[in-house]
Amino acid sequence: DTGVSQDPRHKITKRGQNVTFRCDPISEHNRLYWYRQTLGQGPEFLTYFQNEAQLEKSRLLSDRFSAERPKGSFSTLEIQRTEQGDSAMYLCASSIRTGYSETQYFGPGTRLLVL
Amino acid sequence: AQTVTQSQPEMSVQEAETVTLSCTYDTSESDYYLFWYKQPPSRQMILVIRQEAYKQQNATENRFSVNFQKAAKSFSLKISDSQLGDAAMYFCAYRPSGSRLTFGEGTQLTVNP
């Protein structure tokens, strides 16, 4: 088991550009989560998928943000027209839910810097 | 809305000593889960320990244990025999029977040799 992987690990972009991040969950995990973490803060929930269905989105997820999980495997998070306030670490986590029991395992994150 | 509060932004401990990190939460749910995650500098978030609210027994994982006080909505983490590798940011997190994790602001733990 290779764990949750994210690509790229670092991204520097100019304001107004579009960026896309990828997350590969642990195989057989049916749930996939995206969180955003700014410096010195705890992660904040953005959205999550069960298989290919996006079940919940946070109010933090403005219409410039879109996430997909085609075929219920990897997921992508796209930010359009980036703003300096989008600079943060974007974390992906995956889990498998059995009854009420569920533990989320995190990837290494993608650190975004918008200049 | 559920909130998680970690009132200690920073803590320090001598190697081999014991330290306790505090966490309180606010919820109207009766069934939920609580977690402590560790985030070393520039490294990924690692699960330390989890507690199911319906269980009265406090969870333990080797040198890590929790003091879960459901009525007081308190969930502290005790690290015994602290090691240099324990130095990290520690986050308390809450999850109801739904899905999303709600994290506290974190406690930066320094371990002094």
Side-chain angles (χ1 to χ4, degrees):
Chain A
D1 191 342
T2 58
V4 179
S5 61
Q6 293 187 244
D7 184 70
R9 295 290 306 276
H10 303 273
K11 179 72 176 178
I12 300 174
T13 191
K14 293 182 179 179
R15 186 164 51 94
Q17 297 294 305
N18 298 344
V19 294
T20 299
F21 309 141
R22 176 178 170 128
C23 171
D24 286 88
I26 294 171
S27 58
E28 92 263 6
H29 279 192
N30 59 350
R31 288 193 165 194
L32 187 149
Y33 298 79
W34 286 99
Y35 292 85
R36 182 171 69 186
Q37 184 179 23
T38 53
L39 202 59
Q41 300 295 316
E44 295 175 295
F45 170 81
L46 292 178
T47 187
Y48 92 96
F49 295 82
Q50 179 160 301
N51 300 313
E52 65 275 10
Q54 189 173 18
L55 296 188
E56 188 177 356
K57 292 194 293 185
S58 164
R59 288 172 295 172
L60 292 175
L61 211 65
S62 76
D63 55 8
R64 296 185 297 106
F65 287 70
S66 62
E68 294 182 342
R69 194 184 182 198
K71 303 178 183 178
S73 56
F74 72 92
S75 175
T76 58
L77 177 69
E78 181 184 17
I79 309 174
Q80 296 181 327
R81 305 180 303 282
T82 52
E83 302 173 356
Q84 288 184 326
D86 297 331
S87 295
M89 175 80 86
Y90 289 84
L91 297 170
C92 176
S94 72
S95 69
I96 186 164
R97 186 176 175 90
T98 54
Y100 285 123
S101 179
E102 177 186 356
T103 297
Q104 296 178 25
Y105 295 90
F106 283 81
T110 294
R111 186 171 294 282
L112 173 66
L113 177 60
V114 182
L115 301 177
Chain B
Q2 296 96 6
T3 59
V4 178
T5 302
Q6 294 178 248
S7 58
Q8 307 153 315
E10 298 176 348
M11 290 283 285
S12 63
V13 63
Q14 291 296 125
E15 197 175 3
E17 297 294 308
T18 296
V19 64
T20 298
L21 308 184
S22 301
C23 173
T24 58
Y25 57 95
D26 184 28
T27 184
S28 57
E29 304 274 345
S30 58
D31 285 332
Y32 51 88
Y33 295 80
L34 296 163
F35 304 83
W36 279 98
Y37 282 89
K38 166 186 176 182
Q39 189 176 40
S42 301
R43 296 182 64 184
Q44 68 192 80
M45 194 92 66
I46 302 166
L47 176 69
V48 175
I49 198 166
R50 58 176 269 169
Q51 173 81 42
E52 293 88 344
Y54 64 85
K55 289 186 177 178
Q56 294 185 340
Q57 187 172 6
N58 289 325
T60 61
E61 286 288 342
N62 301 315
R63 298 182 295 107
F64 298 88
S65 61
V66 299
N67 183 4
F68 173 48
Q69 302 289 328
K70 191 172 184 179
K73 298 180 182 175
S74 170
F75 181 61
S76 61
L77 174 69
K78 185 172 81 171
I79 306 174
S80 303
D81 186 25
S82 297
Q83 300 176 0
L84 295 177
D86 295 334
M89 183 73 91
Y90 286 79
F91 290 100
C92 176
Y94 160 92
R95 184 181 69 78
S97 57
S99 55
R100 65 167 73 182
L101 286 169
T102 299
F103 286 86
E105 305 91 336
T107 295
Q108 181 67 52
L109 178 67
T110 301
V111 181
N112 300 310

